[in-house]
Amino acid sequence: VQAQESVQVGLVLPMTGPFASTGRQVEAGARLYMQQHGDEVGGRKIELIVKDDGGVADQTKRIAQELVVREGADVLAGFGLTPLAMATAPIATQARVPMIVMAAATSSITEKSPFIVRSSFTLPQAALGIARWAAENGITEAATLVSDYAPGHDAADAFRKVFEEAGGTVIEQAAVPLKDPDFAPYLQRIRDAGPQGLFVFVPSGVGSLLMKQFDERGLDDAGIKLIATGDVTDDDILDQMGDVALGAITAQHYSAAHDSPENKEFVDAFKEANGNSRPNFMAVGGYDGMHLVYEALKATDGETGEALVEAMKGLSWESPRGPVSIDPETRDIVQDIYIREVKEQDGELYNVEFDRIEQVKDPVKADW
Ligand code: DHB
């Protein structure tokens, strides 16, 4: 066991494999926070221990167990995909160690352990925003296409509920395997069904392939409007998508183009520290997750365990994404959900925010 002074934060992320961009972004966000705020808080030194789980749930769980048992980790953090967070929740409960979910976004994750606090978002938060926009902007018939795992189902269910309550109809639903996806046959079926809009969720990093196949299958030419959660037009890959992405309307909690002094400083510092690459919503999850750890340690004077979780409840601050707080009831993040359009700005593609729904709680836990 380490000397009492240092607080060990075990950051478990997919640093290799198909979701390595998530790991890279979350780690870079967490490191930037530490670079800007120093490595001492509440009288204790903060140490970040980064571990690669390769995006495999059994690995995440095993690594988390080792971190708390052998390395005496005081905080578990990261969690790039829902199954990785789900697998680790019992470890947090058993070890009574706070677990900061910085990326995974299925609504029910926070219900799996009272030690979980989330700095990312929930898919229903984002899907609600785009479903309302679609219903209010002339789309009456829509199709949905999502990755076939928990956040995809959360997204499709939330979109359908809100869209249909607003008078729309979902005429076709597709769920595509998460692993090595080929969207083409599903897109063909949707093109044939002829909706006015196609709602999509795929996890961070996968949006480029979706966009390419959307173009190749002629959905753009058929006049089917792409509407999505912001995961699809992820800032990490958006600029390489090309013209097919132009005009896509998405809803989410973070855009690198968010117009605030806090975000401008964040984006500039992130680019400076990361070879000019842009932060995406995963980076903000890592950055704000570290903010939670720092602010809670200040409040507890360096005490960890259950007291640290208690100190996170109700915290509110100005994030690069905008104003946020931790819902003390659910330990989820309450945040503005922005409606954005992909546009060219300063010669690059960005999600340009044009509307927002203020202070959205996870709708699944807030009775919609
Ligand atoms: C999840 C993963 C993502 O990459 C994303 O953009 C949203 C959700 C998840 O597995 O929970």
Side-chain angles (χ1 to χ4, degrees):
V1 182
Q2 292 270 330
Q4 176 62 20
E5 302 82 53
S6 99
V7 174
Q8 319 259 351
V9 179
L11 193 57
V12 193
L13 289 166
M15 302 306 298
T16 54
F19 300 101
S21 67
T22 294
R24 171 169 47 78
Q25 287 273 349
V26 171
E27 182 189 356
R31 289 207 187 277
L32 178 60
Y33 191 88
M34 293 183 70
Q35 182 196 312
Q36 291 177 334
H37 297 85
D39 65 354
E40 238 181 85
V41 60
R44 301 182 66 178
K45 193 172 158 57
I46 314 288
E47 266 181 65
L48 200 61
I49 311 168
V50 180
K51 300 277 185 187
D52 176 19
D53 61 22
V56 178
D58 287 348
Q59 295 293 330
T60 319
K61 185 175 181 177
R62 182 186 57 74
I63 292 165
Q65 175 90 33
E66 274 176 19
L67 279 167
V68 295
V69 174
R70 288 218 217 120
E71 310 208 32
D74 301 285
V75 176
L76 292 168
F79 310 103
L81 296 159
T82 290
L84 316 182
M86 293 288 194
T88 309
I91 308 281
T93 306
Q94 221 170 23
R96 309 185 75 75
V97 163
M99 171 171 161
I100 316 298
V101 174
M102 296 171 159
T106 298
S107 170
S108 61
I109 289 172
T110 43
E111 293 165 342
K112 302 303 177 195
S113 170
F115 288 85
I116 293 178
V117 181
R118 175 151 45 195
S119 63
S120 54
F121 74 113
T122 76
L123 264 317
Q125 284 180 316
L128 167 139
I130 194 65
R132 280 196 198 164
W133 181 88
E136 287 165 9
N137 286 274
I139 296 179
T140 56
E141 292 193 335
T144 65
L145 181 152
V146 298
S147 293
D148 191 6
Y149 77 128
H153 297 292
D154 253 15
D157 291 351
F159 178 84
R160 179 174 200 144
K161 178 179 164 67
V162 175
F163 185 62
E164 296 203 334
E165 278 176 10
T169 312
V170 172
I171 60 166
E172 190 75 44
Q173 291 190 276
V176 184
L178 178 63
K179 202 170 169 287
D180 301 324
D182 178 12
F183 300 106
Y186 302 88
L187 289 168
Q188 187 64 50
R189 184 153 59 80
I190 286 160
R191 193 196 149 148
D192 294 344
Q196 294 154 318
L198 171 60
F199 167 76
V200 178
F201 161 78
V202 295
S204 186
V206 182
S208 307
L209 176 65
L210 179 280
M211 204 58 90
K212 180 170 171 281
Q213 295 189 326
F214 183 87
D215 192 21
E216 284 168 1
R217 288 283 140 173
L219 279 81
D220 213 16
D221 295 337
I224 299 172
K225 181 131 191 95
L226 183 70
I227 55 180
T229 66
D231 311 73
V232 177
T233 56
D234 170 356
D235 270 299
D236 201 29
I237 52 179
L238 176 59
D239 192 46
Q240 286 88 55
M241 287 183 187
D243 286 357
V244 62
L246 281 170
I249 307 287
T250 63
Q252 218 200 20
H253 57 287
Y254 181 69
S255 165
H258 178 66
D259 190 10
S260 73
E262 289 81 5
N263 187 49
K264 196 175 174 349
E265 191 190 332
F266 172 70
V267 172
D268 288 348
F270 188 95
K271 285 183 161 179
E272 168 90 34
N274 294 281
N276 211 33
S277 73
R278 222 190 258 186
N280 70 4
F281 63 99
M282 294 298 186
V284 174
Y287 188 84
D288 286 339
M290 286 310 289
H291 179 81
L292 276 175
V293 173
Y294 275 51
E295 288 304 307
L297 279 171
K298 278 186 207 165
T300 64
D301 257 329
E303 195 183 331
T304 54
E306 213 162 342
L308 203 63
V309 175
E310 284 307 311
M312 290 179 194
K313 295 179 185 175
L315 281 178
S316 66
W317 70 101
E318 183 71 27
S319 157
R321 69 185 95 177
V324 299
S325 66
I326 298 299
D327 183 343
E329 304 296 323
T330 65
R331 291 161 279 104
D332 265 313
I333 192 159
V334 182
Q335 56 196 337
D336 290 356
I337 293 296
Y338 304 86
I339 315 298
R340 314 94 55 86
E341 177 174 359
V342 176
K343 285 187 175 178
E344 198 173 304
Q345 203 167 272
D346 308 322
E348 291 178 30
L349 297 184
Y350 279 99
N351 295 294
V352 178
E353 295 169 352
F354 64 89
D355 201 358
R356 91 177 103 180
I357 310 174
E358 284 179 19
Q359 298 303 291
V360 180
K361 291 188 177 192
D362 175 32
V364 176
K365 303 180 195 95
D367 275 341
W368 303 84

PDB file of all heavy atoms in Angstrom, residues 19 22 80-83 103-106 109 121 123 149 151 201-205 231 252 281-282, ligand 1:
ATOM      1  N   PHE A  19     -11.722   0.941 -30.449  1.00  0.00           N
ATOM      2  CA  PHE A  19     -12.194   2.128 -29.729  1.00  0.00           C
ATOM      3  C   PHE A  19     -11.063   2.899 -29.055  1.00  0.00           C
ATOM      4  O   PHE A  19     -11.262   3.624 -28.083  1.00  0.00           O
ATOM      5  CB  PHE A  19     -13.307   1.732 -28.745  1.00  0.00           C
ATOM      6  CG  PHE A  19     -14.472   1.121 -29.459  1.00  0.00           C
ATOM      7  CD1 PHE A  19     -14.662  -0.253 -29.478  1.00  0.00           C
ATOM      8  CD2 PHE A  19     -15.338   1.923 -30.193  1.00  0.00           C
ATOM      9  CE1 PHE A  19     -15.708  -0.818 -30.196  1.00  0.00           C
ATOM     10  CE2 PHE A  19     -16.396   1.374 -30.914  1.00  0.00           C
ATOM     11  CZ  PHE A  19     -16.582  -0.006 -30.919  1.00  0.00           C
ATOM     12  N   THR A  22     -11.320   6.681 -28.321  1.00  0.00           N
ATOM     13  CA  THR A  22     -11.982   7.066 -27.064  1.00  0.00           C
ATOM     14  C   THR A  22     -10.959   7.147 -25.934  1.00  0.00           C
ATOM     15  O   THR A  22     -10.920   8.123 -25.180  1.00  0.00           O
ATOM     16  CB  THR A  22     -13.094   6.054 -26.707  1.00  0.00           C
ATOM     17  OG1 THR A  22     -14.118   6.136 -27.694  1.00  0.00           O
ATOM     18  CG2 THR A  22     -13.689   6.334 -25.338  1.00  0.00           C
ATOM     19  N   GLY A  80     -14.684   3.331 -21.393  1.00  0.00           N
ATOM     20  CA  GLY A  80     -14.924   3.787 -22.761  1.00  0.00           C
ATOM     21  C   GLY A  80     -16.160   3.245 -23.439  1.00  0.00           C
ATOM     22  O   GLY A  80     -16.589   3.806 -24.439  1.00  0.00           O
ATOM     23  N   LEU A  81     -16.711   2.173 -22.922  1.00  0.00           N
ATOM     24  CA  LEU A  81     -17.911   1.580 -23.525  1.00  0.00           C
ATOM     25  C   LEU A  81     -18.799   1.055 -22.409  1.00  0.00           C
ATOM     26  O   LEU A  81     -18.305   0.645 -21.348  1.00  0.00           O
ATOM     27  CB  LEU A  81     -17.542   0.391 -24.427  1.00  0.00           C
ATOM     28  CG  LEU A  81     -16.701   0.681 -25.671  1.00  0.00           C
ATOM     29  CD1 LEU A  81     -16.005  -0.582 -26.142  1.00  0.00           C
ATOM     30  CD2 LEU A  81     -17.564   1.244 -26.789  1.00  0.00           C
ATOM     31  N   THR A  82     -20.094   0.991 -22.663  1.00  0.00           N
ATOM     32  CA  THR A  82     -21.048   0.542 -21.644  1.00  0.00           C
ATOM     33  C   THR A  82     -20.712  -0.820 -21.026  1.00  0.00           C
ATOM     34  O   THR A  82     -20.709  -0.948 -19.796  1.00  0.00           O
ATOM     35  CB  THR A  82     -22.478   0.529 -22.225  1.00  0.00           C
ATOM     36  OG1 THR A  82     -22.868   1.885 -22.416  1.00  0.00           O
ATOM     37  CG2 THR A  82     -23.476  -0.176 -21.314  1.00  0.00           C
ATOM     38  N   PRO A  83     -20.404  -1.843 -21.831  1.00  0.00           N
ATOM     39  CA  PRO A  83     -20.150  -3.155 -21.187  1.00  0.00           C
ATOM     40  C   PRO A  83     -18.954  -3.108 -20.231  1.00  0.00           C
ATOM     41  O   PRO A  83     -18.921  -3.880 -19.262  1.00  0.00           O
ATOM     42  CB  PRO A  83     -19.860  -4.085 -22.372  1.00  0.00           C
ATOM     43  CG  PRO A  83     -20.458  -3.407 -23.562  1.00  0.00           C
ATOM     44  CD  PRO A  83     -20.379  -1.940 -23.300  1.00  0.00           C
ATOM     45  N   ALA A 103     -16.999   8.202 -20.156  1.00  0.00           N
ATOM     46  CA  ALA A 103     -17.341   8.016 -21.572  1.00  0.00           C
ATOM     47  C   ALA A 103     -18.662   7.269 -21.763  1.00  0.00           C
ATOM     48  O   ALA A 103     -19.548   7.733 -22.484  1.00  0.00           O
ATOM     49  CB  ALA A 103     -16.211   7.273 -22.285  1.00  0.00           C
ATOM     50  N   ALA A 104     -18.795   6.098 -21.166  1.00  0.00           N
ATOM     51  CA  ALA A 104     -19.963   5.247 -21.419  1.00  0.00           C
ATOM     52  C   ALA A 104     -21.263   5.984 -21.085  1.00  0.00           C
ATOM     53  O   ALA A 104     -21.309   6.792 -20.161  1.00  0.00           O
ATOM     54  CB  ALA A 104     -19.847   3.964 -20.610  1.00  0.00           C
ATOM     55  N   ALA A 105     -22.328   5.694 -21.843  1.00  0.00           N
ATOM     56  CA  ALA A 105     -23.486   6.589 -21.816  1.00  0.00           C
ATOM     57  C   ALA A 105     -24.852   5.911 -21.817  1.00  0.00           C
ATOM     58  O   ALA A 105     -25.857   6.545 -22.131  1.00  0.00           O
ATOM     59  CB  ALA A 105     -23.374   7.566 -22.984  1.00  0.00           C
ATOM     60  N   THR A 106     -24.922   4.624 -21.479  1.00  0.00           N
ATOM     61  CA  THR A 106     -26.232   3.990 -21.302  1.00  0.00           C
ATOM     62  C   THR A 106     -26.843   4.499 -19.999  1.00  0.00           C
ATOM     63  O   THR A 106     -26.160   4.548 -18.967  1.00  0.00           O
ATOM     64  CB  THR A 106     -26.073   2.453 -21.255  1.00  0.00           C
ATOM     65  OG1 THR A 106     -25.533   2.026 -22.503  1.00  0.00           O
ATOM     66  CG2 THR A 106     -27.407   1.769 -21.003  1.00  0.00           C
ATOM     67  N   ILE A 109     -26.376   2.722 -16.313  1.00  0.00           N
ATOM     68  CA  ILE A 109     -25.054   2.481 -15.694  1.00  0.00           C
ATOM     69  C   ILE A 109     -24.989   3.012 -14.257  1.00  0.00           C
ATOM     70  O   ILE A 109     -24.509   2.319 -13.356  1.00  0.00           O
ATOM     71  CB  ILE A 109     -23.919   3.113 -16.541  1.00  0.00           C
ATOM     72  CG1 ILE A 109     -23.725   2.318 -17.841  1.00  0.00           C
ATOM     73  CG2 ILE A 109     -22.600   3.163 -15.751  1.00  0.00           C
ATOM     74  CD1 ILE A 109     -22.771   2.962 -18.832  1.00  0.00           C
ATOM     75  N   PHE A 121     -22.467  11.646 -20.424  1.00  0.00           N
ATOM     76  CA  PHE A 121     -23.839  12.025 -20.800  1.00  0.00           C
ATOM     77  C   PHE A 121     -24.658  10.748 -20.840  1.00  0.00           C
ATOM     78  O   PHE A 121     -24.139   9.678 -20.544  1.00  0.00           O
ATOM     79  CB  PHE A 121     -23.833  12.735 -22.162  1.00  0.00           C
ATOM     80  CG  PHE A 121     -23.608  11.863 -23.377  1.00  0.00           C
ATOM     81  CD1 PHE A 121     -24.615  11.667 -24.320  1.00  0.00           C
ATOM     82  CD2 PHE A 121     -22.390  11.235 -23.580  1.00  0.00           C
ATOM     83  CE1 PHE A 121     -24.409  10.868 -25.451  1.00  0.00           C
ATOM     84  CE2 PHE A 121     -22.175  10.431 -24.705  1.00  0.00           C
ATOM     85  CZ  PHE A 121     -23.188  10.248 -25.637  1.00  0.00           C
ATOM     86  N   LEU A 123     -27.373   8.653 -23.572  1.00  0.00           N
ATOM     87  CA  LEU A 123     -27.930   8.677 -24.933  1.00  0.00           C
ATOM     88  C   LEU A 123     -29.334   9.262 -24.961  1.00  0.00           C
ATOM     89  O   LEU A 123     -29.659  10.046 -25.867  1.00  0.00           O
ATOM     90  CB  LEU A 123     -27.912   7.270 -25.540  1.00  0.00           C
ATOM     91  CG  LEU A 123     -26.719   6.945 -26.432  1.00  0.00           C
ATOM     92  CD1 LEU A 123     -26.357   8.074 -27.384  1.00  0.00           C
ATOM     93  CD2 LEU A 123     -25.510   6.610 -25.604  1.00  0.00           C
ATOM     94  N   TYR A 149     -26.202  -2.594 -29.264  1.00  0.00           N
ATOM     95  CA  TYR A 149     -25.851  -2.847 -27.859  1.00  0.00           C
ATOM     96  C   TYR A 149     -26.516  -1.767 -27.028  1.00  0.00           C
ATOM     97  O   TYR A 149     -27.207  -0.896 -27.575  1.00  0.00           O
ATOM     98  CB  TYR A 149     -24.341  -2.969 -27.662  1.00  0.00           C
ATOM     99  CG  TYR A 149     -23.495  -1.711 -27.651  1.00  0.00           C
ATOM    100  CD1 TYR A 149     -22.608  -1.473 -26.602  1.00  0.00           C
ATOM    101  CD2 TYR A 149     -23.550  -0.791 -28.685  1.00  0.00           C
ATOM    102  CE1 TYR A 149     -21.800  -0.351 -26.580  1.00  0.00           C
ATOM    103  CE2 TYR A 149     -22.734   0.346 -28.663  1.00  0.00           C
ATOM    104  CZ  TYR A 149     -21.873   0.556 -27.614  1.00  0.00           C
ATOM    105  OH  TYR A 149     -21.079   1.668 -27.602  1.00  0.00           O
ATOM    106  N   PRO A 151     -26.271   1.190 -25.432  1.00  0.00           N
ATOM    107  CA  PRO A 151     -26.514   2.611 -25.730  1.00  0.00           C
ATOM    108  C   PRO A 151     -27.295   2.818 -27.025  1.00  0.00           C
ATOM    109  O   PRO A 151     -28.076   3.775 -27.133  1.00  0.00           O
ATOM    110  CB  PRO A 151     -25.111   3.211 -25.824  1.00  0.00           C
ATOM    111  CG  PRO A 151     -24.178   2.060 -25.956  1.00  0.00           C
ATOM    112  CD  PRO A 151     -24.840   0.871 -25.351  1.00  0.00           C
ATOM    113  N   PHE A 201     -27.393   6.436 -34.196  1.00  0.00           N
ATOM    114  CA  PHE A 201     -26.358   6.435 -33.153  1.00  0.00           C
ATOM    115  C   PHE A 201     -25.351   5.337 -33.484  1.00  0.00           C
ATOM    116  O   PHE A 201     -25.741   4.179 -33.677  1.00  0.00           O
ATOM    117  CB  PHE A 201     -26.907   6.166 -31.741  1.00  0.00           C
ATOM    118  CG  PHE A 201     -25.797   5.719 -30.808  1.00  0.00           C
ATOM    119  CD1 PHE A 201     -24.915   6.653 -30.268  1.00  0.00           C
ATOM    120  CD2 PHE A 201     -25.585   4.376 -30.523  1.00  0.00           C
ATOM    121  CE1 PHE A 201     -23.849   6.245 -29.457  1.00  0.00           C
ATOM    122  CE2 PHE A 201     -24.517   3.961 -29.710  1.00  0.00           C
ATOM    123  CZ  PHE A 201     -23.645   4.901 -29.185  1.00  0.00           C
ATOM    124  N   VAL A 202     -24.086   5.712 -33.569  1.00  0.00           N
ATOM    125  CA  VAL A 202     -22.978   4.747 -33.536  1.00  0.00           C
ATOM    126  C   VAL A 202     -21.964   5.321 -32.557  1.00  0.00           C
ATOM    127  O   VAL A 202     -21.900   6.535 -32.359  1.00  0.00           O
ATOM    128  CB  VAL A 202     -22.322   4.528 -34.924  1.00  0.00           C
ATOM    129  CG1 VAL A 202     -23.298   3.882 -35.902  1.00  0.00           C
ATOM    130  CG2 VAL A 202     -21.765   5.831 -35.496  1.00  0.00           C
ATOM    131  N   PRO A 203     -21.149   4.466 -31.910  1.00  0.00           N
ATOM    132  CA  PRO A 203     -20.198   5.006 -30.935  1.00  0.00           C
ATOM    133  C   PRO A 203     -19.084   5.817 -31.583  1.00  0.00           C
ATOM    134  O   PRO A 203     -18.834   5.707 -32.788  1.00  0.00           O
ATOM    135  CB  PRO A 203     -19.649   3.764 -30.232  1.00  0.00           C
ATOM    136  CG  PRO A 203     -19.950   2.626 -31.125  1.00  0.00           C
ATOM    137  CD  PRO A 203     -21.142   2.996 -31.940  1.00  0.00           C
ATOM    138  N   SER A 204     -18.439   6.602 -30.749  1.00  0.00           N
ATOM    139  CA  SER A 204     -17.361   7.488 -31.175  1.00  0.00           C
ATOM    140  C   SER A 204     -16.338   6.745 -32.037  1.00  0.00           C
ATOM    141  O   SER A 204     -15.887   5.659 -31.673  1.00  0.00           O
ATOM    142  CB  SER A 204     -16.673   8.040 -29.926  1.00  0.00           C
ATOM    143  OG  SER A 204     -15.714   8.993 -30.277  1.00  0.00           O
ATOM    144  N   GLY A 205     -15.992   7.329 -33.175  1.00  0.00           N
ATOM    145  CA  GLY A 205     -14.990   6.746 -34.070  1.00  0.00           C
ATOM    146  C   GLY A 205     -15.590   6.017 -35.259  1.00  0.00           C
ATOM    147  O   GLY A 205     -14.940   5.844 -36.281  1.00  0.00           O
ATOM    148  N   ASP A 231     -22.413  11.700 -31.423  1.00  0.00           N
ATOM    149  CA  ASP A 231     -21.395  10.651 -31.520  1.00  0.00           C
ATOM    150  C   ASP A 231     -21.023  10.388 -32.980  1.00  0.00           C
ATOM    151  O   ASP A 231     -19.905   9.978 -33.282  1.00  0.00           O
ATOM    152  CB  ASP A 231     -21.930   9.357 -30.903  1.00  0.00           C
ATOM    153  CG  ASP A 231     -22.539   9.575 -29.539  1.00  0.00           C
ATOM    154  OD1 ASP A 231     -23.648  10.151 -29.464  1.00  0.00           O
ATOM    155  OD2 ASP A 231     -21.915   9.210 -28.546  1.00  0.00           O
ATOM    156  N   GLN A 252     -26.251  17.040 -29.004  1.00  0.00           N
ATOM    157  CA  GLN A 252     -25.302  16.520 -28.024  1.00  0.00           C
ATOM    158  C   GLN A 252     -24.896  17.621 -27.047  1.00  0.00           C
ATOM    159  O   GLN A 252     -25.346  18.756 -27.132  1.00  0.00           O
ATOM    160  CB  GLN A 252     -24.070  15.929 -28.714  1.00  0.00           C
ATOM    161  CG  GLN A 252     -23.562  14.662 -27.999  1.00  0.00           C
ATOM    162  CD  GLN A 252     -22.135  14.339 -28.327  1.00  0.00           C
ATOM    163  OE1 GLN A 252     -21.401  15.215 -28.783  1.00  0.00           O
ATOM    164  NE2 GLN A 252     -21.713  13.108 -28.098  1.00  0.00           N
ATOM    165  N   PHE A 281     -16.095  15.076 -27.542  1.00  0.00           N
ATOM    166  CA  PHE A 281     -16.880  14.973 -26.296  1.00  0.00           C
ATOM    167  C   PHE A 281     -16.246  14.002 -25.300  1.00  0.00           C
ATOM    168  O   PHE A 281     -16.471  14.102 -24.105  1.00  0.00           O
ATOM    169  CB  PHE A 281     -18.332  14.607 -26.608  1.00  0.00           C
ATOM    170  CG  PHE A 281     -18.517  13.262 -27.258  1.00  0.00           C
ATOM    171  CD1 PHE A 281     -18.887  12.159 -26.510  1.00  0.00           C
ATOM    172  CD2 PHE A 281     -18.344  13.104 -28.625  1.00  0.00           C
ATOM    173  CE1 PHE A 281     -19.072  10.921 -27.100  1.00  0.00           C
ATOM    174  CE2 PHE A 281     -18.520  11.867 -29.235  1.00  0.00           C
ATOM    175  CZ  PHE A 281     -18.878  10.774 -28.471  1.00  0.00           C
ATOM    176  N   MET A 282     -15.450  13.057 -25.784  1.00  0.00           N
ATOM    177  CA  MET A 282     -14.775  12.131 -24.871  1.00  0.00           C
ATOM    178  C   MET A 282     -13.712  12.875 -24.045  1.00  0.00           C
ATOM    179  O   MET A 282     -13.549  12.626 -22.850  1.00  0.00           O
ATOM    180  CB  MET A 282     -14.120  10.995 -25.660  1.00  0.00           C
ATOM    181  CG  MET A 282     -15.114  10.090 -26.360  1.00  0.00           C
ATOM    182  SD  MET A 282     -16.171   9.275 -25.122  1.00  0.00           S
ATOM    183  CE  MET A 282     -17.104   8.152 -26.160  1.00  0.00           C
TER     184      MET A 282
HETATM  185  C1  DHB B   1     -20.789   4.570 -25.688  1.00  0.00           C
HETATM  186  C2  DHB B   1     -19.619   4.574 -26.431  1.00  0.00           C
HETATM  187  C3  DHB B   1     -19.373   5.615 -27.295  1.00  0.00           C
HETATM  188  O1  DHB B   1     -18.242   5.653 -28.029  1.00  0.00           O
HETATM  189  C4  DHB B   1     -20.277   6.661 -27.439  1.00  0.00           C
HETATM  190  O2  DHB B   1     -20.011   7.640 -28.308  1.00  0.00           O
HETATM  191  C5  DHB B   1     -21.434   6.660 -26.686  1.00  0.00           C
HETATM  192  C6  DHB B   1     -21.690   5.615 -25.814  1.00  0.00           C
HETATM  193  C7  DHB B   1     -21.068   3.451 -24.778  1.00  0.00           C
HETATM  194  O3  DHB B   1     -20.628   2.318 -25.045  1.00  0.00           O
HETATM  195  O4  DHB B   1     -21.740   3.668 -23.762  1.00  0.00           O
END
